[in-house]
Amino acid sequence: MIVAVGNDVVLVDRFARALQRTPLLVDRLFTEAERTTRSGNQRGPESLAARFAAKEAVAKALGAPTGLHWHDCEIVVDPDGRPWLTVSGTVAAAAAERGIHRWHLSLSHDGGIAAAVVIAERDG
């Protein structure tokens, strides 16, 4: 059963400028796995902006509770290149309080905009 849907959009240029102004921001927002591709290259601003949009969409799906930690929501890629959402710590606790056991994620970026849609689901 679907519990909630969250979505978010990010202007890629604005996000890239924020990362340039504050170089440590990328480490604060993203895990090492999120920052790099499977081949070890650094992800570009479009990809990072889409991942940031996903984290914001998760927070919206949870009702935007306070105290969520950025690294407790991680976007990983399966062997086929499909993004998946994993949660731990503060995000997992907020999800458990709401009975959420499963997440669905879609990422996109085009025309200077990155977007994410998250569906939160529980059993029965």
Side-chain angles (χ1 to χ4, degrees):
M1 172 194 309
I2 293 174
V3 176
V5 176
N7 72 322
D8 195 60
V9 296
V10 174
L11 294 173
V12 174
D13 285 345
R14 182 176 177 201
F15 187 75
R17 285 193 307 271
L19 294 179
Q20 288 174 346
R21 273 193 317 272
T22 313
L24 294 179
L25 185 60
V26 72
D27 294 331
R28 190 167 26 137
L29 296 175
F30 303 106
T31 66
E32 178 65 28
E34 290 174 312
R35 293 189 306 263
T36 57
T37 65
R38 284 183 282 192
S39 61
N41 297 322
Q42 292 295 308
R43 290 194 187 278
E46 295 89 355
S47 181
L48 290 175
R51 282 160 172 72
F52 180 72
K55 292 172 185 257
E56 288 283 317
V58 166
K60 290 175 181 178
L62 291 171
T66 59
L68 298 180
H69 297 167
W70 293 111
H71 283 218
D72 290 348
C73 175
E74 184 177 36
I75 293 78
V76 296
V77 180
D78 73 11
D80 295 325
R82 192 164 93 176
W84 288 95
L85 186 64
T86 62
V87 297
S88 60
T90 58
V91 178
E97 287 175 15
R98 291 155 180 80
I100 297 168
H101 300 286
R102 204 169 10 264
W103 297 93
H104 305 275
L105 171 64
S106 178
L107 302 176
S108 185
H109 51 79
D110 189 32
I113 297 173
V117 175
V118 168
I119 298 172
E121 192 176 0
R122 70 173 170 223
D123 295 331

